[in-house]
Amino acid sequence: MNLKNWKYIRQINRRKFIFLFFLLPLFSFAQHGVDTLWRFNFIDYSANKLLVKDSSTMENFYNKLWNYEAQHAGQVKILHIGDSHVQAGFWSASTRELFHEHFNCGTIARGLVFPYSMANSNGPLNYGIRFNGNWTTQRCIYPDSTCDWGLSGINISSTDDSLFVKVWCNNRTFDNYYHNKLTVLFQPNNFSRILSATSIGSIVVSTKIDSVLGAQTFVFDKISDTLILHIIKKDTANHTPFVLQGLILENNIPGIIYSELGINGAKVSSFQTCKSLTKQAKFYNPDLLILSLGTNDIFAPHFSDSLFYHQYDSLLTSIRKALPFTNIILTTPSDLKRNRKTTVKESLLARRVIIALAKKHNCAVWDLLKIMGGMESMDKWYAAGLGNSDKVHFNDKGYQLQGMLLYDAIAKSYDDHTKGWKVQKVIVKDENEFPALLLKNIFTTNPEDPMIFSNFSFWIFFLVLILGYLFVYNKLKARSIYLMLFSLFFYYKSGGFFFALLIFSTLLDYYLSLKIFSAKSKVAKTTLLIVSLFVNLGLLAFFKYAHFFADIVNSVFHSHISPINFFHAFSNSLFGTQWDIYEIILPVGISFFTFQTLSYTIDVYYGNIKPADDIWDFGFFISFFPQLVAGPIVRAADFLPQIKQKYNVSQEDFGRAVFLILTGLIKKIVISDFISVNFVDRVFDNPLNYSGFENLMGIYGYAVQIYCDFSGYSDIAIGVAILLGFHLPINFNAPYIATSITDFWRRWHISLSTWLKDYLYIPLGGNRKGKIRTYFNLVLTMLIGGLWHGAAFKFIFWGGLHGGMLAIEKFWKDKIGWKMPKILGVLLTFHFVAACWILFRAKNMEDIQRMFSQIFNHFEEQRIMEYIQYYKLVFVLILLAFGAHAFPTAWEKKIEISFGKLNLPFLSVITTLAIVLIFQFKTAGIQPFIYFQF
């Protein structure tokens, strides 16, 4: 690096360059998730394996697992039973996610669950329970001769006359849980109640009662993510309590079902009091049973290894008798401290007992005590941020690592068992393999994992770009070529081989614009412009609307037209590929870069701009990655002159860039993704499951979600562009305080609305052809704008509603002239916009009708405070998003400038706080930006 480059680092951009390095850890969690095995020097990774007697120990389970992997057939059931380590669900959730991810599970069932919230206890976070009535809890850790516990080890009972229990799966993980079969487990010989079940959009087709076991099964005709159990007393004079012991949620779809049941404080002896344990275990019939017991036994003041052996031996004997074909894994207790000080040495005794019993009963052993580092290792786990302060339990991260280690041990054993049967291994990736894996994946593209701003891979990409940018930032031609190549790579990682389409559009419009500019006659210019319009709009119509128009033709003429992907057909014919010729995939961001190239050609045609000096500058303008796939739509007149300017990022510019990037990420992850996963998606997926108030809040929530998602992307794009020395146009300006729909479109997606005005509305005649023509032009422009958003009638209808309201406002202004109070205008405008957003989110018109029916007929205003308490965090985020709209623009500008004036340590502290906030709200899976689909 020459002295000029070093001077650049030291003087011009030293603080900015350091800050970019500081920003990169923001999404390291995304890469170091459950898919990568974390490394710590105190963990004995060589001991992380299953200890088995012989191949028969895990044979049945591995054969079932192989049948699913090879043929995607059958269900594989795993049941994990334990104490408080298992109850919270963090350990099992980590293992479950890895099973589902590596074995490509889709719509799966949740399996055996217990409604822990009804027992006033914590439990797994990936299903929710709502209930009424008064319930009493009895746990098997407190022996009581009047109780008969089942597999869960917890009984909840009620004497109320009418009860309901609603269970739903809320997608806190990447799993999608749907069920068409509900089994209720209750205390045997307790038939003082009539049980029934309901589900939204489906009906019960059969029911079966097992009076000996104490179980009733309901089968529905369709799957649903929400099931409701109704419990009605037969005789109100009968005060015999109804005792609920668990629920089984199932479907008929192949997959791996990982269930967990944990009882805080449970010992091995606790389960010996569960008389229905073996009966319920036989009924559920898991393929693999994982038993994580012993912690509370060794923690007792007077532990006896002989008594522990006898009790565990008795329990395993009864389980083996009930489940002769189920494979079993016994886990040894972890290292732990008594009173946070004294190591519980009885862990070694319990470990010896468990290993001996595993040999006797042909069980596998997962030796957690040895794996975590042996005796005294709990202190190291705690120091590394993996343990709880009580030195008995672990924190979320510690349990997540345990789950990863357990899966890794099972996966390696399974891989050894099935070697020679398959090519692809399922072993979890080792963190030490990460660099090699990263290099291997650099030049591959994955449609399920695009390079988006909220993904760690983007910030690695951006770091590499910045490192090379140091050499070219002030060399104009080299800078254009450099950024264009990186932008094409960015599009390749986001949209795959469709980057060739981007190159084609770039070359086409560059050379056509040169011909248009040099053409002498109007006819020649017009002909060349028509060619550009025909090719660009033709490609857009083919990829985005071919199936839509074919469906219209088929519906009208009762035909069976199927669009053919001629690109696939050409490739199959020329290169012998085997692409599906009827599959047409929408290229990422095609609507955005098509409009951008068209605006350039049209501006050259009308003489508004001169063509770009060379293909490199034009290619850079079209492909510039921050705005390439989701806007803002950039005009050549605004961007091409910047290419000729030297790099100049002032202190205020830098502050604004940092501010926009951080606020954009907070909008996307903290607000948009969180309220989407935890509230909005649930309401829109099953509106009849929720009250009118919840439906109304779901509509408000989606208005916030789509705003924070899209404006968050635009903010990050503008911020990243500023760091590279370029300025993109503002795309949002507090749209929900608009006083009219006309005002709304001056504030929402500003680059699109101005594009539609300049290149569609005005060429149609604008307001120059009379009032009727003006109204028509407004409606037609918005109808096309709606179609631009998506190939469906609901988008056209959405555009028509906005266009119609624009025409009505124009008529009102021309004929009546009365201007309504500002606050009234804001309220009416927002509610109109929010109502129209339903068309974007709802699956079909029937769901829209259901939402409005709930709002007007089942609002449940008497329970509003209950709902507010239940969804308090979601509602707080919604209110904060609305409150931000009222934040004065001048104040926001001052904050942006203030960021640029902060010294680096203080700026780092603020950034760290933002990082912590984002991590707290980050969902397990990367959520795509909504406008990527357009």
Side-chain angles (χ1 to χ4, degrees):
M1 182 181 292
N2 59 38
L3 291 177
K4 184 178 180 181
N5 294 130
W6 278 115
K7 184 178 179 181
Y8 164 76
I9 297 176
R10 292 197 314 270
Q11 297 179 1
I12 303 177
N13 257 344
R14 180 179 57 191
R15 65 197 306 273
K16 305 166 191 174
F17 183 72
I18 295 173
F19 180 79
L20 292 178
F21 274 97
F22 184 76
L23 190 65
L24 284 173
L26 185 63
F27 285 99
S28 61
F29 180 81
Q31 193 65 49
H32 287 73
V34 297
D35 197 36
T36 304
L37 189 55
W38 306 331
R39 307 295 295 191
F40 295 93
N41 57 13
F42 50 82
I43 294 178
D44 187 354
Y45 292 95
S46 64
N48 188 40
K49 55 188 175 183
L50 293 184
L51 306 176
V52 297
K53 182 178 180 180
D54 52 44
S55 61
S56 67
T57 304
M58 297 289 290
E59 184 175 20
N60 293 339
F61 171 67
Y62 289 159
N63 288 344
K64 286 287 293 287
L65 198 58
W66 167 248
N67 184 58
Y68 171 74
E69 183 187 12
Q71 303 180 34
H72 208 70
Q75 291 185 337
V76 185
K77 293 181 181 179
I78 303 172
L79 179 59
H80 194 167
I81 295 179
D83 44 38
S84 55
H85 293 295
V86 176
Q87 181 176 332
F90 297 114
W91 179 359
S92 53
S94 177
T95 309
R96 175 171 48 245
E97 288 175 17
L98 283 165
F99 267 111
H100 291 170
E101 178 181 355
H102 286 275
F103 286 88
N104 299 316
C105 295
T107 302
I108 49 181
R110 187 57 182 81
L112 180 60
V113 301
F114 185 81
Y116 287 97
S117 59
M118 297 174 67
N120 295 315
S121 182
N122 63 323
L125 299 176
N126 52 10
Y127 61 91
I129 300 289
R130 183 178 293 176
F131 60 95
N132 70 337
N134 298 305
W135 294 83
T136 303
T137 305
Q138 301 92 25
R139 299 172 182 271
C140 64
I141 61 171
Y142 306 114
D144 186 337
S145 60
T146 63
C147 288
D148 174 19
W149 291 278
L151 266 175
S152 65
I154 306 177
N155 289 345
I156 48 175
S157 60
S158 177
T159 58
D160 290 358
D161 295 343
S162 179
L163 302 163
F164 79 84
V165 179
K166 181 166 78 170
V167 56
W168 73 89
C169 298
N170 61 22
N171 293 341
R172 276 299 294 269
T173 67
F174 59 83
D175 300 321
N176 293 310
Y177 297 115
Y178 290 92
H179 313 101
N180 68 338
K181 186 177 180 181
L182 168 65
T183 298
V184 185
L185 301 176
F186 50 88
Q187 190 164 293
N189 303 317
N190 189 341
F191 293 94
S192 60
R193 302 294 194 279
I194 297 174
L195 305 186
S196 61
T198 57
S199 177
I200 303 301
S202 61
I203 59 174
V204 175
V205 294
S206 68
T207 182
K208 181 181 179 181
I209 300 176
D210 188 327
S211 58
V212 176
L213 173 66
Q216 185 164 348
T217 301
F218 303 91
V219 179
F220 297 86
D221 62 339
K222 298 176 183 177
I223 60 173
S224 172
D225 70 346
T226 303
L227 302 175
I228 306 171
L229 170 66
H230 304 273
I231 308 166
I232 308 298
K233 186 183 289 186
K234 294 179 182 179
D235 181 4
T236 56
N238 186 341
H239 297 295
T240 304
F242 175 79
V243 182
L244 181 63
Q245 297 181 328
L247 303 168
I248 303 177
L249 308 171
E250 299 177 282
N251 59 34
N252 298 319
I253 302 172
I256 300 172
I257 304 170
Y258 195 117
S259 305
E260 71 278 86
L261 293 171
I263 306 94
N264 185 18
K267 303 177 182 178
V268 170
S269 59
S270 304
F271 287 93
Q272 291 182 303
T273 65
C274 300
K275 300 177 183 177
S276 295
L277 183 145
T278 54
K279 290 189 292 184
Q280 291 181 0
K282 187 175 182 179
F283 177 82
Y284 187 64
N285 194 27
D287 299 292
L288 175 64
L289 177 64
I290 304 173
L291 294 176
S292 298
L293 299 171
T295 296
N296 292 293
D297 297 83
I298 61 176
F299 206 75
H302 305 290
F303 173 76
S304 167
D305 57 342
S306 60
L307 179 60
F308 181 68
Y309 182 98
H310 172 75
Q311 292 171 338
Y312 215 157
D313 183 39
S314 175
L315 179 63
L316 288 172
T317 300
S318 60
I319 290 175
R320 272 291 181 216
K321 184 176 180 181
L323 302 171
F325 303 108
T326 296
N327 294 142
I328 301 174
I329 296 176
L330 307 180
T331 72
T332 62
S334 65
D335 178 52
L336 63 154
K337 298 277 188 176
R338 184 175 282 112
N339 301 323
R340 301 176 183 160
K341 296 179 180 180
T342 307
T343 298
V344 180
K345 297 181 180 179
E346 288 81 359
S347 295
L348 288 173
L349 298 177
R351 175 178 176 268
R352 293 194 193 102
V353 168
I354 289 172
I355 292 175
L357 288 173
K359 293 179 180 178
K360 178 179 178 180
H361 295 278
N362 195 18
C363 303
V365 173
W366 186 62
D367 195 354
L368 175 58
L369 178 61
K370 185 176 181 180
I371 294 166
M372 69 182 292
M375 304 301 290
E376 307 291 342
S377 59
M378 176 55 83
D379 287 330
K380 299 174 184 177
W381 280 62
Y382 178 70
L386 301 171
N388 188 281
S389 58
D390 64 7
K391 302 293 184 70
V392 175
H393 298 88
F394 301 84
N395 60 17
D396 298 359
K397 187 177 180 181
Y399 283 123
Q400 185 181 4
L401 177 55
Q402 282 190 33
M404 295 161 61
L405 289 165
L406 176 58
Y407 174 81
D408 184 53
I410 297 173
K412 287 188 291 190
S413 176
Y414 169 71
D415 191 63
D416 289 340
H417 183 83
T418 57
K419 60 185 177 183
W421 297 2
K422 55 189 172 67
V423 176
Q424 184 177 3
K425 296 186 177 183
V426 297
I427 298 176
V428 64
K429 297 192 291 288
D430 190 297
E431 191 178 48
N432 287 341
E433 300 170 4
F434 178 66
L437 186 67
L438 181 64
L439 289 174
K440 178 182 178 181
N441 291 334
I442 282 178
F443 297 104
T444 60
T445 180
N446 180 5
E448 302 300 323
D449 185 28
M451 184 181 286
I452 57 179
F453 293 153
S454 53
N455 198 328
F456 175 71
S457 61
F458 171 78
W459 299 103
I460 290 292
F461 160 84
F462 191 55
L463 171 62
V464 174
L465 183 151
I466 289 294
L467 290 174
Y469 202 56
L470 297 176
F471 298 92
V472 299
Y473 74 99
N474 244 354
K475 300 174 182 177
L476 301 186
K477 187 61 61 185
R479 182 179 69 181
S480 293
I481 296 173
Y482 179 80
L483 290 178
M484 184 192 72
L485 293 175
F486 266 86
S487 295
L488 290 175
F489 178 76
F490 171 84
Y491 189 80
Y492 166 71
K493 294 295 290 184
S494 301
F497 288 101
F498 284 116
F499 81 94
L501 184 65
L502 178 64
I503 294 175
F504 171 77
S505 295
T506 300
L507 293 172
L508 175 77
D509 284 294
Y510 174 72
Y511 288 107
L512 282 177
S513 65
L514 290 178
K515 295 293 184 183
I516 291 172
F517 185 75
S518 61
K520 302 301 182 183
S521 68
K522 185 73 172 180
V523 173
K525 289 178 179 288
T526 304
T527 301
L528 291 168
L529 177 63
I530 291 173
V531 171
S532 174
L533 293 172
F534 177 80
V535 175
N536 282 287
L537 294 177
L539 287 172
L540 179 63
F542 171 75
F543 284 106
K544 194 166 186 175
Y545 304 109
H547 284 293
F548 174 64
F549 291 131
D551 289 343
I552 294 175
V553 172
N554 292 338
S555 177
V556 173
F557 299 103
H558 305 289
S559 55
H560 300 283
I561 297 174
S562 294
I564 294 178
N565 190 331
F566 54 86
F567 294 105
H568 285 181
F570 176 78
S571 175
N572 292 347
S573 174
L574 192 63
F575 302 110
T577 55
Q578 296 182 340
W579 297 104
D580 183 356
I581 63 172
Y582 297 106
E583 180 183 42
I584 300 177
I585 301 173
L586 179 66
V588 172
I590 187 173
S591 299
F592 288 92
F593 68 72
T594 297
F595 271 26
Q596 192 157 313
T597 58
L598 283 179
S599 68
Y600 170 80
T601 310
I602 294 171
D603 283 347
V604 171
Y605 173 82
Y606 283 111
N608 297 329
I609 61 171
K610 293 182 179 180
D613 290 345
D614 55 49
I615 186 63
W616 305 113
D617 287 351
F618 180 70
F620 170 45
F621 156 65
I622 296 298
S623 64
F624 188 41
F625 71 89
Q627 51 79 49
L628 176 60
V629 296
I633 301 172
V634 180
R635 305 285 184 90
D638 298 324
F639 194 83
L640 287 178
Q642 297 184 57
I643 296 177
K644 300 303 180 184
Q645 298 171 2
K646 287 188 175 294
Y647 183 90
N648 181 26
V649 177
S650 66
Q651 192 168 332
E652 288 74 18
D653 289 334
F654 180 72
R656 180 168 180 251
V658 174
F659 179 80
L660 288 171
I661 290 172
L662 290 179
T663 54
L665 291 169
I666 290 172
K667 282 181 181 179
K668 168 61 178 170
I669 296 173
V670 175
I671 301 178
S672 179
D673 287 354
F674 186 84
I675 66 174
S676 167
V677 170
N678 293 289
F679 183 64
V680 174
D681 289 350
R682 295 188 231 167
V683 174
F684 274 90
D685 288 345
N686 288 291
L688 292 182
N689 275 2
Y690 298 89
S691 68
F693 174 76
E694 291 170 296
N695 274 267
L696 179 62
M697 293 305 296
I699 295 171
Y700 291 163
Y702 184 69
V704 168
Q705 179 195 345
I706 193 171
Y707 165 71
C708 289
D709 185 282
F710 193 16
S711 69
Y713 184 96
S714 294
D715 288 348
I716 300 170
I718 294 170
V720 169
I722 290 174
L723 292 177
L724 296 173
F726 298 91
H727 293 269
L728 303 179
I730 185 174
N731 215 21
F732 292 88
N733 183 21
Y736 292 148
I737 61 170
T739 56
S740 65
I741 295 302
T742 304
D743 187 28
F744 173 79
W745 281 105
R746 295 190 187 109
R747 297 169 175 271
W748 178 273
H749 204 343
I750 299 170
S751 63
L752 174 65
S753 59
T754 55
W755 196 101
L756 291 173
K757 181 188 74 173
D758 293 342
Y759 298 103
L760 189 58
Y761 174 71
I762 292 176
L764 285 171
N767 58 4
R768 305 185 307 274
K769 304 285 186 178
K771 297 187 183 302
I772 300 300
R773 181 66 180 271
T774 298
Y775 304 148
F776 174 79
N777 290 342
L778 286 170
V779 174
L780 180 59
T781 298
M782 291 309 300
L783 284 172
I784 295 175
L787 186 62
W788 177 87
H789 280 87
F793 282 111
K794 65 178 185 178
F795 293 110
I796 299 175
F797 186 38
W798 172 85
L801 287 173
H802 276 267
M805 187 56 67
L806 288 171
I808 291 172
E809 288 181 355
K810 182 70 174 173
F811 173 81
W812 182 280
K813 181 180 179 181
D814 293 341
K815 297 296 184 181
I816 300 176
W818 177 73
K819 190 174 182 180
M820 70 178 66
K822 183 176 179 180
I823 186 65
L824 180 60
V826 170
L827 289 174
L828 291 177
T829 300
F830 169 73
H831 282 87
F832 175 82
V833 170
C836 290
W837 282 140
I838 302 176
L839 292 163
F840 264 59
R841 179 58 182 84
K843 292 180 290 187
N844 48 55
M845 295 304 294
E846 290 76 13
D847 275 353
I848 295 175
Q849 294 173 1
R850 289 169 184 151
M851 294 190 80
F852 283 112
S853 175
Q854 290 295 95
I855 291 172
F856 289 109
N857 300 319
H858 305 283
F859 196 76
E860 297 187 11
E861 60 278 359
Q862 72 279 6
R863 300 183 64 188
I864 287 178
M865 294 309 298
E866 176 186 339
Y867 294 139
I868 291 175
Q869 178 64 27
Y870 193 79
Y871 299 112
K872 55 181 178 292
L873 183 54
V874 170
F875 290 169
V876 164
L877 291 174
I878 292 173
L879 287 174
L880 285 175
F882 285 133
H885 275 67
F887 204 69
T889 303
W891 292 8
E892 185 176 330
K893 294 296 183 184
K894 288 181 179 179
I895 293 175
E896 292 178 7
I897 295 173
S898 298
F899 264 71
K901 295 179 179 179
L902 295 174
N903 57 49
L904 186 59
F906 193 59
L907 183 62
S908 299
V909 170
I910 293 178
T911 306
T912 300
L913 293 175
I915 291 171
V916 172
L917 177 66
I918 290 170
F919 279 168
Q920 293 301 313
F921 284 85
K922 192 176 185 296
T923 54
I926 298 293
Q927 305 296 312
F929 286 90
I930 294 174
Y931 263 67
F932 263 46
Q933 61 185 300
F934 306 135

